């Protein structure tokens, strides 16, 4: 089977919103009309946006206050050259903004959710402000990394 036509297609897509306490998880895959994941070599973080066609009044049922996550699970369609399947990827983004809210019908509202990954909060939260004169640079770099930077998986649902 040729992978030429499958390189941009995804399989097993699941999109969920996870509440701040991780007790409420809502599958919104069927509500999402389109989504984009943005990566840049100029930024230390990734962002996403997704357009929801909300007919279940999700915003009223699950108030979004900036501590919720949107979690994407997906894999690339087809097989690798070795014949193995692609691995399932999980990416999470903290929701920080809702824009372009438009009431389509009496029961359906369209809006755009914006998310940013935890690297933004981790990278912006720490200020390394100490002198390392006369120190072993490798040992100090390792110490700074272990002291100031945390694996973002601790924050993500």
């Amino acid at each position: 089977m040729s992978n030429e036509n499958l390189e941009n297609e995804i399989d097993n897509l699941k999109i969920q919103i996870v509440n701040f306490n991780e007790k409420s998880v809502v599958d919104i895959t069927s509500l999402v009309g389109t989504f984009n994941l943005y990566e840049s070599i100029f930024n230390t973080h990734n962002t996403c946006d997704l357009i929801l066609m909300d007919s279940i009044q999700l915003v009223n049922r699950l108030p979004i206050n900036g501590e919720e996550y949107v979690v994407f699970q997906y894999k690339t369609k087809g097989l690798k050259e070795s014949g193995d399947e692609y691995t399932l990827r999980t990416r999470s983004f903290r929701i920080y903004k809702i824009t372009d809210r438009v009431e389509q019908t009496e029961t359906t509202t369209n809006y755009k959710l914006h998310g940013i990954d935890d690297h933004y909060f981790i990278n912006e939260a720490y200020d390394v402000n100490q002198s390392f004169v006369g120190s072993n640079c490798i040992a100090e770099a390792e110490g700074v990394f272990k002291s100031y930077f945390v694996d973002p998986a601790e924050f993500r649902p």
Side-chain angles (χ1 to χ4, degrees), residues 35-46:
F35 69 92
N36 296 297
L37 303 176
Y38 300 101
E39 297 180 0
S40 170
I41 60 172
F42 300 111
N43 292 328
T44 58
H45 57 276
N46 301 320

Side-chain angles (χ1 to χ4, degrees), residues 7-151:
E7 62 188 21
N8 293 324
E9 294 187 34
I10 57 175
D11 195 17
N12 298 345
L13 176 65
K14 185 179 352 174
I15 305 172
Q16 299 174 320
I17 290 184
V18 180
N19 202 356
F20 69 96
N21 60 7
E22 297 185 26
K23 291 183 179 176
S24 299
V25 178
V26 180
D27 187 345
I28 60 168
T29 308
S30 62
L31 302 178
V32 175
T34 183
F35 69 92
N36 296 297
L37 303 176
Y38 300 101
E39 297 180 0
S40 170
I41 60 172
F42 300 111
N43 292 328
T44 58
H45 57 276
N46 301 320
T47 59
C48 74
D49 61 42
L50 50 153
I51 297 175
L52 273 76
M53 296 171 284
D54 186 2
S55 59
I56 62 170
Q57 302 303 317
L58 180 67
V59 176
N60 295 335
R61 288 187 358 195
L62 181 73
I64 296 177
N65 60 13
E67 294 184 18
E68 293 74 26
Y69 284 86
V70 60
V71 179
F72 295 89
Q73 288 184 324
Y74 61 93
K75 70 177 191 168
T76 303
K77 272 191 177 180
L79 301 173
K80 297 179 185 178
E81 288 181 14
S82 63
D84 297 333
E85 287 191 358
Y86 287 95
T87 57
L88 186 68
R89 298 174 189 223
T90 301
R91 300 187 63 185
S92 66
F93 298 85
R94 187 179 298 185
I95 298 171
Y96 71 92
K97 180 168 63 170
I98 299 175
T99 60
D100 303 335
R101 199 169 181 167
V102 177
E103 202 171 304
Q104 283 298 105
T105 66
E106 197 171 296
T107 58
T108 304
T109 304
N110 293 354
Y111 50 89
K112 185 185 284 190
L113 288 179
H114 299 268
I116 191 165
D117 74 353
D118 287 324
H119 289 96
Y120 175 80
F121 300 102
I122 293 168
N123 292 338
E124 296 297 320
Y126 296 111
D127 183 22
V128 179
N129 211 5
Q130 68 188 63
S131 174
F132 298 103
V133 174
S135 302
N136 178 332
C137 64
I138 296 192
E140 290 302 327
E142 183 179 343
V144 166
F145 186 78
K146 287 180 179 178
S147 299
Y148 290 96
F149 300 105
V150 183
D151 181 12

